[in-house]
Amino acid sequence: MKTYTCKNIRNIALAGHGGSGKTSVAEGLLYKCGEIERMGKVSDGNSVCDYDPEEIKRKISLGTSLAYCQWKDVKINILDTPGQFDFAAGLYEGISAAESVVIALPAKDGVQVGTIKAYREAVKHDKATMFVVTRMEEENSNFYKCLEELKTQFGPSICPIVVPFDKYGTVESYINLLEMKAYTYDNGVPTEVPMPASENRLKGLRAAMAEAVAETDEELMMRYFENEGEDFTEAEIVKGLHDGIHKGYITPVVCCSGDTLAGIDMMLNTIIYMLPSPDETDGELCDDGSKVQYASRDTLEAKVFKTVADPFVGKLSYIKIVNGTLAAGTEVVNRTTGNLEKPGKLLSMQGKKTEDMIEAYAGDIVAATKLSANTGDTLTASGDETVFAAEKYPVPCFFKAISAKDKNDEGKISNAIKRMVEEDKTLSYDHNHETHQRILGGLGEQHLDAAISKMKAKFGVDVIVSDPIIAYRESIRKKVQAEGKHKKQSGGHGQYGHVKIEFEPCDSDALVFEEKVFGGSVPKNYFPAVEKGLVESTAHGVLAGYPVVNLKATLLDGSYHPVDSSEQAFKMAAHIAYKQGLAQAQPCLLEPICLVKVILDDASTGDIMTVINKRRGTVLGMNPSEEEQCMTELDAQMPQSEITDLATVVRQITRGLGHFTAQFDHYEQLPQALEADVIANAPKFSEYEG
């Protein structure tokens, strides 16, 4: 295929709330540019960008897909990102690789939580933003209501470029405010029609556009005020809008219908004339905080922003080229690992369809086979020390235990999950050696459900899903003394060991062992055996079999037999004393307490605090979030058993705006009223022992 230089490339991430029409808009862009012969639909499972079997089954985007179209000698790389919050990894991948974020919102629904999150993420990454109001052909669509909501939510930067004339409820024509011309559409083909009469609203919108343009340049601002709102030429407006969008002063708004193609041509024009090319941006952020400008160097510098694991093709690496030229078969250095790598085929992606490329230039996005690089890795020519900053992804907060349905598949699970974690940076995997469970983590129930389905479809591993076992601990609450005597005679040498041990609470996680034996009642050479017997015993408590912590044992007295005593006999005697002593020392269960950080909007603070209190948590404090604007960080301590479904609860209360992280902090005594239930379920724990 034809190669493009940096100035003739536009990389856009399509983002927005789930069901906002992103994939349909992408389909419309591809069809209008002649890249596809017929338009597919998400509902029919035949769209270019939703091609994964799971996406077709669920009728939603699960990951970022790449497609491209060519319009007026400009290549537009389209990164279609998921709108469902469980699949946020795709949004982060798409935004990291694009210079501009085009946020879709349905004309009948207006601004939704996904709209806000996409905009905040774009601003956080210093990306140019643009809104496209979709599904204008549907009943109850209301562009001007959407426009007011956008202004209310995002401020005065909102600047309409293409607006509908819908005097009688349905769209009669689409008006380009740059040209001040109106168009009707027949299968995407525009026909100019007379401008609607007596539309004062249009004049007001045009005047607002001129004012926004004036604010981008001092000379234009002087002319604007001196001539009491002079209207500028189309060329001046285009340049002013382009500069304002690049600087973040202006956020353009267009409208279209992805299904009927109405307004798609004007959206394409807005993309190529208004949105910045890669070399017009501030560059790509490096690990050391510096930035590398696009197309500023001749040597290769590129970053891997997405990987796809395929059991047949292998790993497919999606690459954004920052500088130089990437060619198939050329040796590159993976700066993240230090290894030399050689890409196999270089591919331009049209959803799942591929076309071989010989080479690609700075600013372009391509895919490569046969690379071992992972998401976030930097690829350079030999001698170049550049390392690009890796994207920070949301941390998993919803966990399930998985085990193979077929025991013969046990060996496949780790390999399958490893490949999937490489593909999705919001998935995590941990083999808990204490509970002997494989723990899969994600952003929500739907996220893990999709991952498990993919595991079966891609790698042939079918798993059983269960709740993770809580790793409780046991301890004691009072000081006691206990005696243990192990005596056995079975012909020849017998076995004899006798100890008297004092058990008491302490602050150490590991057993604290001391001896205060007088007169040689227990020889010193048996002290290590007594200690070893106690250490081994603490692996299981007397209440429910959980490990024992905060325990001090002091060997006080005992007796021995000069012939029958042995290390093994004293180990057994220590174990007997341990069981008797702990049973008398008011044993109790300890539960893991986690430090929880909830990011939430101010309106949800009261409800979240109520949830935390009801779940036996303690709020530690609140502060404005340093990472997310207009959000609050609430710190709390909560029992681990109470946060298993907290991800769902937080999302429901905050309407999707909030999220949380949790990490183990300490152990605390479980309320006695809850002990019986934990003890009753303890056999489930013992099944996983050894």
Side-chain angles (χ1 to χ4, degrees):
M1 80 169 272
K2 181 180 177 181
T3 52
Y4 288 82
T5 57
C6 210
K7 288 190 179 299
N8 288 349
I9 294 173
R10 303 291 182 273
N11 298 309
I12 64 168
L14 282 175
H17 200 81
S20 59
K22 302 179 297 295
T23 303
S24 297
V25 167
E27 202 76 9
L29 296 173
L30 297 174
Y31 183 77
K32 182 64 181 177
C33 293
E35 304 297 343
I36 54 177
E37 295 180 356
R38 60 183 295 273
M39 286 182 61
K41 290 185 177 181
V42 174
S43 57
D44 295 338
N46 59 0
S47 66
V48 171
C49 292
D50 282 358
Y51 57 85
D52 186 273
E54 276 298 305
E55 292 179 319
I56 294 170
K57 181 178 80 174
R58 296 169 185 267
K59 302 189 187 306
I60 58 172
S61 300
L62 303 183
T64 292
S65 56
L66 175 62
Y68 69 90
C69 57
Q70 302 164 86
W71 184 254
K72 297 183 179 179
D73 206 33
V74 173
K75 181 185 182 184
I76 303 172
N77 286 315
I78 303 167
L79 296 144
D80 183 24
T81 72
Q84 303 290 332
F85 304 137
D86 274 14
F87 307 102
L91 175 65
Y92 284 70
E93 289 169 348
I95 289 180
S96 71
E99 284 72 52
S100 305
V101 182
V102 179
I103 304 171
L105 63 156
K108 68 177 183 179
D109 296 323
V111 174
Q112 299 166 284
V113 171
T115 318
I116 298 170
K117 293 186 77 168
Y119 180 83
R120 288 179 178 175
E121 204 58 41
V123 171
K124 181 179 172 182
H125 286 76
D126 292 326
K127 306 293 184 178
T129 53
M130 168 178 162
F131 288 104
V132 53
V133 181
T134 62
R135 297 179 176 166
M136 292 299 301
E137 80 285 359
E138 292 186 357
E139 288 186 25
N140 302 318
S141 63
N142 191 331
F143 173 85
Y144 292 101
K145 181 184 176 185
C146 291
L147 186 62
E148 288 305 312
E149 290 180 0
L150 288 170
K151 289 180 178 178
T152 301
Q153 184 68 48
F154 305 113
S157 71
I158 299 300
C159 181
I161 304 293
V162 179
V163 301
F165 174 61
D166 51 2
K167 188 173 183 180
Y168 300 105
T170 57
V171 178
E172 297 179 28
S173 61
Y174 289 80
I175 299 161
N176 187 325
L177 294 175
L178 293 172
E179 306 170 344
M180 287 305 285
K181 293 180 180 179
Y183 299 91
T184 58
Y185 287 86
D186 182 15
N187 196 29
V189 179
T191 301
E192 187 177 348
V193 296
M195 281 287 288
S198 66
E199 272 291 295
N200 293 326
R201 172 187 276 172
L202 297 179
K203 293 180 180 179
L205 292 173
R206 172 77 178 195
M209 179 190 294
E211 184 177 353
V213 168
E215 291 178 357
T216 66
D217 184 89
E218 286 188 14
E219 183 181 336
L220 295 178
M221 179 65 79
M222 291 294 293
R223 279 174 51 193
Y224 183 79
F225 281 116
E226 287 174 1
N227 297 285
E228 297 182 355
E230 174 190 338
D231 208 354
F232 305 113
T233 65
E234 184 179 333
E236 288 174 330
I237 290 178
V238 169
K239 183 181 184 306
L241 288 172
H242 178 275
D243 293 346
I245 292 166
H246 168 49
K247 295 174 183 176
Y249 302 156
I250 296 174
T251 305
V253 182
V254 300
C255 59
C256 71
S257 168
D259 290 341
T260 67
L261 299 177
I264 289 291
D265 60 328
M266 289 191 278
M267 179 180 174
L268 284 163
N269 288 334
T270 305
I271 290 171
I272 66 171
Y273 293 128
M274 308 290 181
L275 300 184
S277 58
D279 59 336
E280 292 178 306
T281 65
D282 294 334
E284 196 65 36
L285 183 66
C286 297
D287 248 359
D288 60 5
S290 64
K291 287 190 175 182
V292 174
Q293 300 296 314
Y294 280 87
S296 62
R297 303 173 186 172
D298 293 331
T299 57
L300 173 68
E301 295 170 336
K303 68 171 186 176
V304 179
F305 68 91
K306 175 182 172 68
T307 55
V308 175
D310 190 287
F312 304 107
V313 178
K315 186 184 290 186
L316 193 63
S317 303
Y318 287 69
I319 302 169
K320 174 76 175 292
I321 306 167
V322 179
N323 276 306
T325 303
L326 179 63
T330 302
E331 194 170 71
V332 298
V333 180
N334 185 329
R335 285 294 161 199
T336 309
T337 64
N339 298 328
L340 290 175
E341 300 200 38
K342 186 179 290 186
K345 288 184 177 181
L346 209 60
L347 306 170
S348 64
M349 305 296 297
Q350 201 67 283
K352 68 177 178 180
K353 294 182 179 179
T354 63
E355 184 179 346
D356 288 0
M357 298 180 69
I358 298 173
E359 60 183 12
Y361 304 140
D364 210 350
I365 297 174
V366 296
T369 61
K370 297 185 179 180
L371 285 176
S372 61
N374 293 319
T375 301
D377 287 0
T378 298
L379 307 177
T380 71
S382 180
D384 192 315
E385 300 296 327
T386 301
V387 178
F388 295 117
E391 181 64 49
K392 293 182 180 179
Y393 292 89
V395 178
C397 57
F398 187 85
F399 301 91
K400 288 290 182 182
I402 59 171
S403 58
K405 265 187 183 177
D406 186 342
K407 295 301 179 184
N408 295 325
D409 288 340
E410 284 289 345
K412 295 182 181 178
I413 288 184
S414 295
N415 179 57
I417 294 179
K418 178 186 175 185
R419 300 283 296 277
M420 292 182 66
V421 169
E422 288 176 357
E423 181 177 324
D424 185 347
K425 291 298 184 181
T426 57
L427 279 177
S428 69
Y429 171 68
D430 177 50
H431 192 170
N432 190 317
H433 295 287
E434 181 179 334
T435 63
H436 301 281
Q437 284 187 309
R438 303 173 190 266
I439 307 298
L440 186 64
L443 300 183
E445 189 171 3
Q446 193 177 16
H447 187 201
L448 292 192
D449 185 49
I452 288 164
S453 295
K454 279 188 177 183
M455 200 185 307
K456 182 178 180 180
K458 279 190 172 185
F459 303 101
V461 179
D462 205 359
V463 299
I464 300 169
V465 181
S466 59
D467 290 329
I469 294 170
I470 305 296
Y472 290 95
R473 295 286 186 268
E474 295 187 27
S475 189
I476 59 174
R477 287 173 286 175
K478 77 171 187 177
K479 183 190 292 188
V480 296
Q481 291 185 5
E483 201 170 348
K485 182 179 287 187
H486 177 67
K487 184 177 181 181
K488 190 174 182 181
Q489 192 70 40
S490 56
H493 285 303
Q495 296 182 36
Y496 183 86
H498 173 218
V499 293
K500 186 177 181 181
I501 301 174
E502 180 180 80
F503 296 97
E504 61 184 307
C506 73
D507 293 331
S508 173
D509 288 340
L511 174 74
V512 176
F513 176 75
E514 292 183 359
E515 55 81 19
K516 293 182 180 178
V517 177
F518 295 98
S521 56
V522 178
K524 288 184 177 181
N525 59 305
Y526 292 131
F527 291 172
V530 174
E531 182 178 5
K532 187 175 182 181
L534 291 172
V535 169
E536 290 178 357
S537 297
T538 58
H540 300 287
V542 296
L543 284 178
Y546 292 103
V548 175
V549 295
N550 302 343
L551 181 66
K552 179 181 178 181
T554 304
L555 178 61
L556 300 177
D557 202 358
S559 61
Y560 74 103
H561 189 280
V563 177
D564 293 344
S565 287
S566 65
E567 290 186 358
Q568 183 62 30
F570 273 96
K571 276 180 63 177
M572 292 299 297
H575 180 66
I576 294 169
Y578 168 86
K579 290 184 71 176
Q580 292 179 355
L582 262 64
Q584 301 166 11
Q586 295 182 2
C588 62
L589 287 173
L590 305 179
E591 63 178 338
I593 304 296
C594 294
L595 184 62
V596 176
K597 293 183 181 294
V598 186
I599 305 298
L600 69 163
D601 57 316
D602 291 341
S604 306
T605 302
D607 290 337
I608 292 294
M609 290 178 70
T610 299
V611 168
I612 291 172
N613 291 330
K614 284 184 176 179
R615 294 179 177 225
R616 301 187 289 118
T618 303
V619 175
L620 302 177
M622 291 186 296
N623 293 290
S625 173
E626 295 180 0
E627 296 184 359
E628 297 188 31
Q629 291 183 345
C630 307
M631 299 290 277
T632 298
E633 179 185 295
L634 186 151
D635 296 332
Q637 288 181 344
M638 292 182 68
Q640 183 182 337
S641 60
E642 299 287 353
I643 64 175
T644 53
D645 64 340
L646 190 61
T648 304
V649 174
V650 168
R651 188 172 293 168
Q652 288 172 345
I653 291 175
T654 64
R655 307 168 311 285
L657 280 172
H659 56 89
F660 84 99
T661 59
Q663 62 180 31
F664 170 76
D665 190 63
H666 67 281
Y667 277 95
E668 209 170 87
Q669 185 174 335
L670 180 74
Q672 284 189 318
L674 302 177
E675 279 191 354
D677 187 50
V678 173
I679 293 171
N681 290 316
K684 295 180 182 178
F685 178 80
S686 63
E687 289 173 9
Y688 289 84
E689 292 297 314

